[in-house]
Amino acid sequence: MISQLFVLSQRGDNIVFRDYRGEVQKGSAEVFFRKVKFWKDDEDGDAPPAFNVDGVNYFHVKVSGLLFVATTRVNVSPSLVLELLQRIARVIKDYLGVLNEDSLRKNFVLVYELLDEVIDFGYVQTTSTEVLKSYVFNEPIVVDAARMANLGPAAIFMQGTKRMPGTAITKSVVANEPGGRTREEIFVDIIEKISVTFSATGYILTSEIDGTIQMKSYITGNPEIRLALNDDLNIGRGGRSIHGYGSSYGSGTVILDDCNFHESVQLDSFDIDRTLTLVPSDGEFSVMNYRMTQEFNPPFRINALLEEAGSFKAELILKVRADFPSSITANSILVQMPVPTYTTRVSFELEPGAAGNTTTDFKESSKRIEWGLKKIVGGSEHTLRAKLTFTQEPHGNITKEAGPVSMTFTIPMHNVSRLQVKYLQIAKKSNSYNPYRWVRYVTQANSYVARL
Amino acid sequence: MSGHDSKYFSTTKKGEIPELKEELNSPYKDKRKDAVKKVIAAMTVGKDVSSLFTDVVNCMQTENLELKKLVYLYLINYAKSQPDLAILAVNTFVKDSQDPNPLIRALAVRTMGCIRVDKITEYLCDPLQRCLKDDDPYVRKTAAICVAKLYDINAELVEDRGFLESLKDLISDNNPMVVANAVAALAEIQESSSRPIFEITSHTLSKLLTALNECTEWGQVFILDALSRYKAADAREAENIVERVTPRLQHANCAVVLSAVKMILQQMELITSTDVVRNLCKKMAPPLVTLLSAEPEIQYVALRNINLIVQRRPTILAHEIKVFFCKYNDPIYVKMEKLEIMIKLASDRNIDQVLLEFKEYATEVDVDFVRKAVRAIGRYESIIATLCESLDTLDEPEAKASMIWIIGEYAERIDNADELLESFLESFPEEPPQVQLQLLTATVKLFLKKPTEGPQQMIQVVLNNATVETDNPDLRDRAYIYWRLLSTDPEAAKDVVLAEKPVISDDSNQLDPSLLDELLANIATLSSVYHKPPEAFVTRVKTATQRTEDDDYPDGNEAGYSETPSHAAGASPPNSSSSAYGATRQSAPAPAAPAPAAPVPDLLGDLIGLDNNAIVPVDQPATPSGPSLPVVLPASTGQGLQISAQLTGQDGQIFYSLLFENNTQTTLDGFMIQFNKNSFGLAAAGPLQVPPLAPGASARTLLPMVVFQNMSAGPPSSLLQVAVKNNQQPVWYFNDKILLHVFFTEDGRMERTSFLETWRSLPDSNEVLKEFPGIVVSSAEATLDRLAATNMFFIAKRKHANQDVFYFSAKIPRGIPFLIELTTLIGNPGVKCAIKTPNPEMAPLFFEAIETLLNA
């Protein structure tokens, strides 16, 4: 069980501190922060999420730039503690709308009240916002959403098209709208993080999709909801060998390696028609997580060519091609590549018309070049040329001293797995009852790497 | 200007408390609420607002739950420092515990349990009794946890009032939240008690498995972890259990998944059908891999666990090696673990793939990771040639030096070793010293292995470079040594340079099997993350920190602890069950003649009642009581400071019991203690708590110890070297003896059949025998009881000729068992002791312990 729980700012300030058992000394937050800060004396690696100092075990996770920490003296389940810390962050965000130092400080009484209901004597009681609502009485003081920082994957919908209600994700699930009436709406986000490793020749070495169907409901009265997924969805790669007809899967079939579900999800009809039934609780939660290694069409192809060009010089050509429909636009693209450590200067040459859309930079200290693009329209190709100047002759094969090329991006309204929410049905209270439903897709790069 | 500022500052400071006081007594509810909020705000930033205690407590009688909660929060914080005032709140607490609103009832009980003030605790019992049977599940689940709180404050009270039984009843409650909390509370109580309190029978098992399906995710973890202690009777039961737990693998909560994996792995040990096992392995793989899609923190925990699992059951993830390939954005701690697992999963089938992957890592930015990757590659001799291709890309000196070492070491297997080395020789003068040294050695090795023309020329160049053209003395000296050796006696040079190297145990090799067993039993706990047995880091001493921190229990010792003095004089030290007979070595104040065959049942009874008292580090000065301890540092050696000490064991925790007597003319303070490396890695779990000692005063303390912290190498020895210092005297060193029976664990009992099997399975070379001609066993019963009290468990007895033969089992941490045979003629001198153990090097230590125990 947990002895203490505290939240620290990035500078190590104590924002929230709750002691549940009085068996760990008071200075633990300081001990913890010093240990984490000076882990290896430098940024050479982060402190692992669980470690022991003088008989006290410290667990921590980072959420929105805050450190959520728990201490214990006993041999607890570490995944329980770490998962709990994530959930506490989520519950607080559900309540406050925005999770940051400012909102925590403004609402500390509420936060303490929450922490007292979430944990008793070090034992988790509940982390469901829905359940907590009946025990927690403080009202959140909502801080200005305009000043908030990182919001996680769904944040993309903030900048997206106008149809997206921008305030959705920063809205507290308990606080009332200024108008006094909450809008009946529900958000279902299909978020896919993809990892691809290309070999030097462009061949796909590994590829993986980590997906989540995330839900956030502002519907009153908790009606039952049905989510229908692709009806030919298959689970378990083992299935292939059972049927023995590997080729019988058409291109339309989606095969998941594994998936798991939120505890509120009823799977009675899932095996039959791939529908999920649930009564969504308040707050944000993952209805389903899935993992897929089935081959898919990677949204970007990366082509890198690095060649020596005379003594102490080399030329680099980076090409990125967007392999998705032209109706879709990726944004926040950043391509990075380490160059040989003896590189002193890099001069870039942009393609015509790229000016407003592109940034380039050579990070002297980490010997990396960065190429940023605001937008890439599906089907288009972009090229960056760069001249590298060295202080010495390369040791041999220059490509072994540079790379790999890595890339981050976000593609709204596109998912590579082809998993779909076919429909979202809400049990009707009356004929006129028709809440807003938002089903949104987003693809993000996790580890998207091309080797040289 | 500064004058103005400071004036402003001091007025607020002076005015804040009275201002709040006024607001707290305002007739307006809202104003009072705001005031309490301000008080709490001040409290959380560390300001002392304890002077407002009375005013805040006055706000407690309110129907407003929000306000009530705030007042309760305040009370929890300050009741300890204001125990007398806390009494003011008692009436309201008791009244609230009968409020019609269940939230208020629960809140009252929850808060009372958090206030560790005896007077409050006394009044807690009745409300708690009612709440355990409340109609509302929220109240019952809160009451269940409250029993654990009370047990932590006063275990005796919990047992006397029958709360344990009520708690056990709650296991059958119809509300799963209540069941989960009852399980959690019972598990905690069991953890701190040596008696069986929460035993899982097949009946509770089936009840809990049913509750599992309805519980919240967290409750599922409590239940799964509690059930993991259950030993199924046979393969069939194990299969049944597994079948009911397997659906948990689909849970979105990682903690549920890992706890389910633990449970399944444990039951799998019993399952005999290979089909079932294979099928289970297949089912566990995808969820385990899915854990790697979670946040990096969870991934880390999962990887540390997978590392253990694949050592026992490599097949589970044998085909999944790709999922452990590092992502470029993985935190370094995740990358390191993935690398470890890839090494463990590497096989003939996937080695090419793995090595190619490792090769990519050699260009990563993080130095430690690169080093590890290169070292991992070095493990596979077969690929040295491939490896050498990437030689020119290494520019990190250490990696380069390692590679050059490999070329020299395996020169005979690398066809173009001479070419490779030669390419380096050109830049010899520019290389960093560590690379130069390796180049020198590697070239000499090459020459000795392939004394052909090419290498001969190379050696000339190198020796010249390393002697005449360098000012590095290390390099020059090494070069001269080689030169002399080569020119005088090439054969001797071979012996020296190519000497057979001891096999270096590899840091990431498989774990010691008995440790692996123990860690696997601890999957899904911290132990499996640290890869250390729990006793090496768990330091939770039931009461130690709490009681030493606050000395504000003026009358706290009245109730349960009054028996201490009567036992202090007795021969049987009441401080622990397992060390009850440890104090029989030469004791400083000669102990009263030990009563032969102490009335053991009574003793045990007392021991339970005295649990609390015994662990309290008695740092109230000048009243040392308790068992007498052997003198380890006589006053004559310690310039007037006398230290008596002994290791004791209790409830699986080891303590160093110390008595300090100050016979000097000055006050001694600032006591500190340190232990030298020893065979059991014993070390202090916390700082030594000794108050300043006035002349003539003495103090007693119990220092919690951890094991496996600073292990010494070599054969096991009972020597414990201790250093103690204080601010006034020089550092004192003394030797103490580690008696093995302190480590005997409570799970050392063996069934008769498994005893026989184990005995037979161990080779005869593992049997060690010793005779104690002087020892007399006068009563078999008393001896058996005494041995049982130290966790040496009686198994069977038989007659052999006219002698009695007794069999016992015992176990020390890391699961090392001892099977013991004692042969003696009751009432006559002479005891023969034969033991069998997988670790016979421990035998001498064992005999020392048994001699002490039998002599008692």
Side-chain angles (χ1 to χ4, degrees):
Chain A
M1 70 306 282
I2 291 164
S3 280
Q4 301 164 326
L5 189 136
F6 45 89
V7 184
L8 302 182
S9 73
Q10 237 153 3
R11 295 182 308 279
D13 299 333
N14 228 326
I15 308 174
V16 177
F17 187 99
R18 180 75 175 93
D19 195 325
Y20 291 103
R21 297 182 64 102
E23 55 191 11
V24 172
Q25 72 281 5
K26 297 273 181 293
S28 53
E30 253 170 66
V31 174
F32 164 81
F33 191 71
R34 212 174 307 132
K35 190 81 186 174
V36 165
K37 199 170 166 202
F38 297 110
W39 194 270
K40 275 208 197 159
D41 293 324
D42 217 325
E43 71 230 58
D44 228 60
D46 285 336
F51 57 82
N52 181 304
V53 184
D54 294 334
V56 177
N57 303 299
Y58 295 85
F59 294 91
H60 74 284
V61 301
K62 272 186 211 157
V63 187
S64 307
L66 300 166
L67 285 162
F68 284 73
V69 192
T71 64
T72 179
R73 282 189 174 274
V74 298
N75 193 17
V76 292
S77 160
S79 39
L80 180 138
V81 179
L82 293 169
E83 179 98 40
L84 172 67
L85 291 173
Q86 297 278 5
R87 298 293 186 87
I88 287 176
R90 188 176 276 191
V91 166
I92 295 177
K93 186 177 168 249
D94 278 345
Y95 263 84
L96 307 186
V98 183
L99 178 61
N100 59 27
E101 190 174 340
D102 191 30
S103 69
L104 279 177
R105 287 200 194 279
K106 280 213 171 78
N107 287 286
F108 74 94
V109 179
L110 167 62
V111 172
Y112 276 97
E113 192 183 5
L114 281 169
L115 289 180
D116 268 346
E117 294 295 340
V118 169
I119 300 173
D120 189 9
F121 201 47
Y123 292 98
V124 202
Q125 299 301 300
T126 180
T127 48
S128 149
T129 304
E130 173 86 19
V131 175
L132 285 165
K133 262 166 84 178
S134 39
Y135 307 127
V136 171
F137 298 92
N138 274 286
E139 294 275 335
I141 302 160
V142 181
V143 294
D144 186 6
R147 281 184 295 146
M148 79 218 142
N150 181 20
L151 288 163
I156 175 62
F157 300 115
M158 300 283 297
Q159 326 146 5
T161 48
K162 285 239 167 68
R163 289 180 294 118
M164 301 290 179
T167 55
I169 20 166
T170 61
K171 200 163 80 173
S172 162
V173 291
V174 291
N176 288 325
E177 289 283 276
R181 213 182 116 252
T182 48
R183 187 148 85 140
E184 296 278 312
E185 54 188 344
I186 182 165
F187 297 87
V188 177
D189 297 334
I190 294 90
I191 301 165
E192 293 188 346
K193 296 191 174 181
I194 57 175
S195 295
V196 180
T197 309
F198 298 97
S199 75
T201 53
Y203 171 75
I204 297 173
L205 293 171
T206 58
S207 64
E208 188 185 41
I209 302 172
D210 288 323
T212 300
I213 302 181
Q214 201 155 300
M215 185 176 279
K216 193 160 185 174
S217 160
Y218 295 92
I219 297 179
T220 50
N222 295 338
E224 192 178 83
I225 284 179
R226 278 164 71 85
L227 271 181
L229 306 179
N230 313 35
D231 38 20
D232 55 353
L233 185 72
N234 273 282
I235 294 159
R237 274 180 304 154
R240 226 176 298 175
S241 55
I242 291 171
H243 297 293
Y245 302 106
S247 56
S248 74
Y249 286 104
S251 57
T253 314
V254 177
I255 307 166
L256 305 179
D257 288 35
D258 185 39
C259 57
N260 58 43
F261 303 93
H262 188 261
E263 55 188 358
S264 66
V265 178
Q266 281 176 18
L267 296 168
D268 304 341
S269 56
F270 185 68
D271 283 339
I272 307 157
D273 60 1
R274 297 299 184 215
T275 60
L276 304 170
T277 312
L278 70 155
V279 175
S281 53
D282 285 334
E284 188 176 278
F285 65 97
S286 302
V287 176
M288 171 179 169
N289 299 305
Y290 56 93
R291 185 167 55 80
M292 185 173 135
T293 52
Q294 184 192 18
E295 272 177 38
F296 59 87
N297 196 14
F300 288 101
R301 290 282 176 171
I302 306 169
N303 207 321
L305 187 67
L306 180 63
E307 273 179 341
E308 284 187 60
S311 56
F312 302 106
K313 278 194 171 60
E315 204 175 84
L316 169 72
I317 303 172
L318 270 178
K319 267 190 194 147
V320 168
R321 196 179 75 224
D323 270 354
F324 45 86
S326 56
S327 56
I328 287 163
T329 304
N331 53 36
S332 319
I333 300 103
L334 182 65
V335 183
Q336 301 185 70
M337 183 179 126
V339 292
T341 48
Y342 42 79
T343 308
T344 46
R345 224 166 55 84
V346 179
S347 63
F348 298 98
E349 190 189 314
L350 293 176
E351 55 195 349
N357 190 31
T358 310
T359 55
T360 51
D361 197 5
F362 169 52
K363 300 275 178 201
E364 181 90 50
S365 59
S366 52
K367 301 292 180 191
R368 229 161 8 112
I369 57 170
E370 292 188 356
W371 175 25
L373 292 129
K374 277 187 199 153
K375 278 184 205 156
I376 296 183
V377 179
S380 65
E381 188 176 88
H382 295 263
T383 309
L384 174 75
R385 288 167 192 277
K387 288 198 165 61
L388 281 61
T389 312
F390 302 144
T391 51
Q392 63 176 79
E393 208 63 66
H395 296 130
N397 189 345
I398 185 172
T399 56
K400 287 191 176 166
E401 302 182 52
V405 185
S406 63
M407 189 173 178
T408 56
F409 51 81
T410 304
I411 316 175
M413 298 323 287
H414 179 63
N415 73 332
V416 286
S417 72
R418 298 192 315 271
L419 180 96
Q420 280 183 306
V421 173
K422 295 274 188 200
Y423 61 83
L424 170 61
Q425 206 174 58
I426 304 169
K428 281 194 178 177
K429 284 191 261 185
S430 67
N431 276 341
S432 61
Y433 181 70
N434 199 9
Y436 293 90
R437 294 162 232 198
W438 309 96
V439 178
R440 313 179 291 187
Y441 296 86
V442 62
T443 297
Q444 280 191 319
N446 183 2
S447 169
Y448 206 86
V449 174
R451 290 176 176 164
L452 286 186
Chain B
M1 92 211 168
S2 67
H4 178 73
D5 277 357
S6 65
K7 190 177 142 211
Y8 175 70
F9 190 61
S10 66
T11 25
T12 31
K13 208 177 179 186
K14 213 184 277 169
E16 194 177 37
I17 297 281
E19 222 169 77
L20 282 170
K21 203 178 179 80
E22 196 176 304
E23 286 174 35
L24 284 169
N25 291 302
S26 157
Y28 305 106
K29 216 163 56 183
D30 284 350
K31 194 138 200 192
R32 287 205 302 270
K33 193 160 87 186
D34 282 347
V36 177
K37 275 192 187 174
K38 280 185 205 159
V39 172
I40 303 270
M43 182 178 95
T44 53
V45 296
K47 281 186 202 155
D48 182 14
V49 284
S50 59
S51 59
L52 296 167
F53 199 91
T54 330
D55 309 280
V56 176
V57 168
N58 282 339
C59 300
M60 190 170 156
Q61 294 192 38
T62 169
E63 284 307 304
N64 184 317
L65 255 166
E66 191 187 344
L67 178 56
K68 199 179 265 292
K69 278 188 157 185
L70 293 172
V71 176
Y72 278 9
L73 189 63
Y74 176 90
L75 273 173
I76 293 173
N77 236 291
Y78 284 114
K80 261 187 284 182
S81 54
Q82 312 267 346
D84 294 330
L85 289 173
I87 288 302
L88 295 173
V90 160
N91 280 333
T92 317
F93 272 133
V94 173
K95 207 173 115 223
D96 282 356
S97 75
Q98 300 177 66
D99 195 279
N101 182 343
L103 294 190
I104 295 186
R105 294 202 295 277
L107 193 58
V109 172
R110 186 172 86 195
T111 310
M112 281 177 96
C114 292
I115 300 180
R116 305 177 68 98
V117 172
D118 282 317
K119 283 175 187 160
I120 300 270
T121 309
E122 274 168 45
Y123 284 96
L124 170 60
C125 287
D126 291 331
L128 181 56
Q129 199 134 42
R130 275 195 303 274
C131 290
L132 281 166
K133 306 224 156 29
D134 201 285
D135 290 338
D136 191 285
Y138 183 73
V139 180
R140 290 201 302 278
K141 72 124 186 149
T142 310
I145 291 289
C146 193
V147 176
K149 293 179 188 170
L150 185 59
Y151 194 90
D152 192 43
I153 304 172
N154 190 339
E156 207 180 343
L157 202 57
V158 169
E159 300 191 14
D160 288 353
R161 296 290 298 247
F163 288 142
L164 291 181
E165 283 65 40
S166 313
L167 210 47
K168 284 181 204 163
D169 291 344
L170 291 183
I171 293 184
S172 317
D173 200 282
N174 54 17
N175 182 298
M177 278 275 269
V178 179
V179 179
N181 275 5
V183 168
L186 280 168
E188 172 170 336
I189 290 171
Q190 179 65 81
E191 193 86 340
S192 55
S193 168
S194 50
R195 286 191 313 135
I197 287 170
F198 181 35
E199 281 183 312
I200 295 171
T201 60
S202 58
H203 182 59
T204 27
L205 176 83
S206 80
K207 260 195 295 198
L208 290 178
L209 282 176
T210 312
L212 194 59
N213 296 323
E214 287 144 30
C215 261
T216 69
E217 45 194 330
W218 310 108
Q220 293 183 16
V221 179
F222 298 162
I223 292 179
L224 285 170
D225 287 349
L227 288 184
S228 70
R229 287 191 289 125
Y230 182 77
K231 302 270 177 293
D234 50 30
R236 220 169 117 195
E237 189 182 18
E239 280 180 42
N240 280 335
I241 295 174
V242 165
E243 198 172 310
R244 298 183 66 177
V245 171
T246 315
R248 299 297 119 211
L249 294 174
Q250 291 283 293
H251 205 291
N253 186 322
C254 300
V256 175
V257 174
L258 261 182
S259 288
V261 165
K262 172 191 192 171
M263 182 99 185
I264 295 172
L265 280 174
Q266 245 154 35
Q267 300 305 334
M268 260 164 83
E269 296 291 322
L270 283 169
I271 297 176
T272 41
S273 152
T274 47
D275 275 356
V276 175
V277 169
R278 194 170 336 115
N279 200 10
L280 281 173
C281 286
K282 225 181 189 169
K283 273 188 187 154
M284 269 191 287
L288 277 174
V289 174
T290 299
L291 293 177
L292 303 183
S293 307
E295 290 82 7
E297 292 91 355
I298 301 269
Q299 284 185 44
Y300 174 73
V301 171
L303 287 165
R304 294 291 284 174
N305 277 286
I306 289 172
N307 186 318
L308 296 174
I309 294 169
V310 297
Q311 289 187 50
R312 171 57 46 90
R313 298 195 180 271
T315 50
I316 293 187
L317 293 167
H319 301 281
E320 304 278 359
I321 196 152
K322 265 183 155 184
V323 304
F324 299 105
F325 286 3
C326 297
K327 300 200 162 100
Y328 88 97
N329 52 351
D330 281 335
I332 194 74
Y333 56 77
V334 166
K335 282 185 179 166
M336 290 290 211
E337 295 308 319
K338 285 186 170 173
L339 201 55
E340 276 293 323
I341 293 173
M342 281 191 268
I343 292 166
K344 295 214 162 70
L345 289 179
S347 65
D348 293 349
R349 207 161 19 104
N350 57 24
I351 187 73
D352 291 349
Q353 208 181 2
V354 171
L355 287 170
L356 273 175
E357 189 67 18
F358 283 2
K359 217 175 95 185
E360 289 294 330
Y361 302 157
T363 59
E364 289 256 353
V365 197
D366 186 88
V367 179
D368 274 353
F369 179 64
V370 173
R371 259 180 220 156
K372 195 161 186 160
V374 171
R375 278 194 202 133
I377 298 173
R379 254 173 238 173
Y380 308 102
E381 286 178 18
S382 58
I383 54 95
I384 289 167
T386 342
L387 182 64
C388 293
E389 287 168 18
S390 54
L391 204 56
D392 48 341
T393 69
L394 292 170
D395 52 0
E396 214 254 315
E398 199 187 317
K400 208 168 183 176
S402 310
M403 268 310 303
I404 294 171
W405 180 87
I406 291 174
I407 299 174
E409 187 65 22
Y410 300 104
E412 69 275 25
R413 289 183 224 178
I414 304 171
D415 296 338
N416 59 345
D418 40 356
E419 281 170 41
L420 290 170
L421 284 179
E422 201 165 8
S423 65
F424 280 105
L425 290 184
E426 290 156 24
S427 56
F428 189 95
E430 289 89 50
E431 296 290 353
Q434 65 197 83
V435 177
Q436 289 180 330
L437 283 167
Q438 285 307 336
L439 263 174
L440 169 62
T441 306
T443 316
V444 173
K445 282 179 181 167
L446 173 71
F447 172 70
L448 288 170
K449 288 175 174 178
K450 295 182 184 171
T452 52
E453 200 184 331
Q456 193 158 6
Q457 277 172 4
M458 282 163 67
I459 201 108
Q460 297 288 349
V461 176
V462 174
L463 288 176
N464 190 44
N465 262 319
T467 50
V468 188
E469 318 226 325
T470 182
D471 10 302
N472 179 340
D474 286 345
L475 183 65
R476 205 170 46 214
D477 287 356
R478 194 189 283 193
Y480 274 126
I481 290 174
Y482 285 146
W483 202 326
R484 298 257 154 79
L485 267 171
L486 289 171
S487 52
T488 50
D489 187 351
E491 277 311 305
K494 254 185 192 167
D495 287 347
V496 173
V497 182
L498 304 179
E500 189 95 0
K501 280 162 208 66
V503 179
I504 298 165
S505 65
D506 185 330
D507 56 348
S508 54
N509 251 345
Q510 311 278 315
L511 292 163
D512 173 55
S514 63
L515 179 60
L516 180 61
D517 278 342
E518 188 170 0
L519 294 179
L520 279 166
N522 279 298
I523 288 284
T525 71
L526 257 182
S527 187
S528 66
V529 172
Y530 296 156
H531 290 187
K532 281 184 186 169
E535 60 268 26
F537 63 91
V538 169
T539 52
R540 183 166 178 261
V541 184
K542 240 170 91 186
T543 45
T545 341
Q546 186 71 23
R547 298 289 148 81
T548 44
E549 252 177 25
D550 354 292
D551 293 330
D552 40 76
Y553 298 98
D555 306 314
N557 287 347
E558 255 172 25
Y561 312 140
S562 56
E563 293 151 273
T564 321
S566 64
H567 278 273
S572 26
N575 64 332
S576 98
S577 50
S578 56
S579 70
Y581 292 88
T584 43
R585 275 182 296 148
Q586 270 307 327
S587 298
V600 175
D602 282 353
L603 173 66
L604 276 177
D606 288 343
L607 282 173
I608 289 149
L610 282 163
D611 262 5
N612 276 323
N613 191 34
I615 331 179
V616 178
V618 186
D619 49 2
Q620 296 87 344
T623 51
S625 60
S628 51
L629 300 167
V631 175
V632 284
L633 180 78
S636 54
T637 316
Q639 294 176 3
L641 172 70
Q642 176 155 303
I643 304 175
S644 317
Q646 184 166 49
L647 281 172
T648 64
Q650 164 154 347
D651 296 346
Q653 165 80 43
I654 293 164
F655 296 91
Y656 201 41
S657 177
L658 290 141
L659 172 67
F660 294 84
E661 290 165 85
N662 180 4
N663 302 318
T664 69
Q665 298 307 311
T666 48
T667 298
L668 301 179
D669 62 12
F671 280 95
M672 280 158 64
I673 193 163
Q674 194 155 19
F675 296 86
N676 198 356
K677 286 186 176 170
N678 54 74
S679 295
F680 294 90
L682 277 165
L688 183 67
Q689 311 247 1
V690 179
L693 278 183
S698 59
R700 187 177 267 282
T701 187
L702 267 180
L703 177 68
M705 304 283 287
V706 289
V707 286
F708 305 130
Q709 280 292 302
N710 52 347
M711 310 273 289
S712 65
S717 142
S718 61
L719 183 65
L720 180 66
Q721 292 176 310
V722 190
V724 169
K725 66 168 265 204
N726 57 51
N727 288 341
Q728 286 72 29
Q729 295 185 307
V731 181
W732 303 118
Y733 299 92
F734 56 84
N735 291 342
D736 199 354
K737 201 176 198 180
I738 304 170
L739 285 174
L740 194 66
H741 63 256
V742 172
F743 297 98
F744 288 174
T745 53
E746 285 159 24
D747 60 344
R749 187 188 297 280
M750 269 191 189
E751 293 305 319
R752 220 178 248 239
T753 45
S754 76
F755 181 90
L756 280 174
E757 271 167 29
T758 317
W759 185 280
R760 280 196 210 111
S761 70
L762 288 167
D764 286 343
S765 56
N766 281 30
E767 184 170 341
V768 195
L769 187 113
K770 184 164 172 134
E771 298 204 30
F772 304 97
I775 296 180
V776 184
V777 175
S778 44
S779 150
E781 244 172 61
T783 305
L784 292 187
D785 286 341
R786 203 184 311 146
L787 295 177
T790 61
N791 289 332
M792 197 169 135
F793 299 100
F794 173 68
I795 289 173
K797 178 184 154 180
R798 70 181 171 96
K799 278 268 182 203
H800 179 71
N802 59 342
Q803 293 191 308
D804 282 311
V805 187
F806 300 89
Y807 294 91
F808 302 88
S809 68
K811 200 165 163 187
I812 60 172
R814 297 202 165 162
I816 301 174
F818 287 91
L819 314 185
I820 306 130
E821 179 192 71
L822 285 182
T823 314
T824 189
L825 183 58
I826 301 289
N828 287 294
V831 176
K832 199 169 83 181
C833 176
I835 63 165
K836 250 190 174 182
T837 167
N839 299 50
E841 69 278 5
M842 288 278 186
L845 290 179
F846 181 86
F847 291 130
E848 275 179 40
I850 194 89
E851 189 171 5
T852 316
L853 289 168
L854 291 174
N855 260 327

